[in-house]
Amino acid sequence: GDPVVLVHGFSVPSVIWDNTFAALNNADRAVLRYDLFGRGYSDRPDAKYNSELYVSQLKELVDKLLPGKKIILCGLSMGGAISVAFTDKYPDKVAKVILIDPAGFPMPAPGVTKLIKAPGIGTYFGRLFARRAMAQGLPENFVAAVPPRVTEESLKQIDYAGYADAIVSTVRHMDMTGMEPAYRRVGEKKIPTLLIWGK
C-alpha cells in the first residue's frame, strides 16, 4: 500500500513512534519516520522554526526517498499541524491523513511559553529550562510509564548544540493556535482523514 510517513510532535523526537513503527513494519507496510529539524539526530540550522521550514523538510525527504508516490501522512500534536500544512500545500502527494491530537487550534499558553517569547531574556530562559521541561512533560505523552528508550533519547538530544535555540525559535515562530483555515481547506479537499483525539 501507500507508504506511511510519521511526523512527531514539538519536543519528543521520532523515538516516540517506536511501537507504531514496529507494528507497521510487522504488517509489511512501508513506513518512514524522521526527526524534525532541531530534534533528535536532525540538524539544528540557524533559521526560523516555522511551518514553512518543517513543510519544506518533509517535502525534500518525501521527494528524495519516495519519489512519485502518494503517502499516508500521520502527525502527532505539532506533527499534526505540520501534516495539515503539508497537505494544504501539496494535496497531490497525500493519499490519506491521520491526525493524533493535532495542534493548531486556540489553547491557553503556559506561563513559560510567554516567558520564552520575550525578546532577549526568552532565549536565556529557554536554554535554562529545556531539560526540566522535557523531563516533566514526557509522562503527558503516555498512558502508562514512559518507555526507557524514549526518556533516554529525549533527554540526550537536549545536550546537542542548538537544541534549546530550536525549541525557543519554534515557540516564537510556529503557529500552534491559528491554523483553522488550513484545516478547513484540507477538509474541503475530501482527502480521507482519521482523527484520534483523547488521552
Side-chain angles (χ1 to χ4, degrees):
D2 297 314
V4 181
V5 179
L6 304 172
V7 188
H8 69 78
F10 175 77
S11 55
V12 182
S14 63
V15 67
I16 200 163
W17 292 116
D18 274 1
N19 292 339
T20 308
F21 186 79
L24 288 166
N25 269 318
N26 291 338
D28 289 328
R29 294 302 303 248
V31 57
L32 169 66
R33 64 175 169 172
Y34 69 103
D35 290 323
L36 294 168
F37 282 137
R39 281 77 170 168
Y41 294 104
S42 280
D43 287 343
R44 286 136 173 81
D46 183 13
K48 280 187 177 180
Y49 284 71
N50 57 20
S51 182
E52 289 77 20
L53 177 72
Y54 295 124
V55 167
S56 67
Q57 179 190 19
L58 177 55
K59 183 174 184 299
E60 288 177 19
L61 189 67
V62 168
D63 286 350
K64 179 73 175 177
L65 298 179
L66 304 167
K69 294 188 178 178
K70 282 199 165 197
I71 60 172
I72 297 172
L73 196 49
C74 179
L76 167 66
S77 189
M78 186 179 86
I82 294 166
S83 297
V84 166
F86 181 90
T87 304
D88 188 28
K89 191 166 185 181
Y90 304 107
D92 56 311
K93 294 183 174 292
V94 181
K96 297 177 183 175
V97 180
I98 302 168
L99 302 172
I100 305 171
D101 296 335
F105 297 95
M107 56 187 271
V112 70
T113 300
K114 295 173 185 172
L115 189 61
I116 288 173
K117 287 186 175 184
I121 196 167
T123 303
Y124 169 77
F125 277 104
R127 290 173 179 165
L128 189 65
F129 292 120
R131 178 173 289 277
R132 185 172 11 170
M134 174 65 77
Q136 290 175 346
L138 275 174
E140 296 175 11
N141 292 283
F142 295 90
V143 174
V146 181
R149 191 171 117 76
V150 172
T151 300
E152 177 188 336
E153 293 295 324
S154 296
L155 293 177
K156 184 181 356 178
Q157 70 178 344
I158 295 170
D159 295 327
Y160 298 153
Y163 171 80
D165 291 343
I167 290 293
V168 168
S169 181
T170 305
V171 168
R172 289 179 174 168
H173 302 292
M174 179 70 185
D175 183 3
M176 300 281 259
T177 60
M179 287 189 58
E180 189 171 335
Y183 277 86
R184 288 188 182 280
R185 287 192 300 271
V186 169
E188 289 165 1
K189 296 179 196 315
K190 305 297 184 192
I191 295 170
T193 302
L194 172 65
L195 172 65
I196 300 171
W197 190 273
K199 290 182 182 292

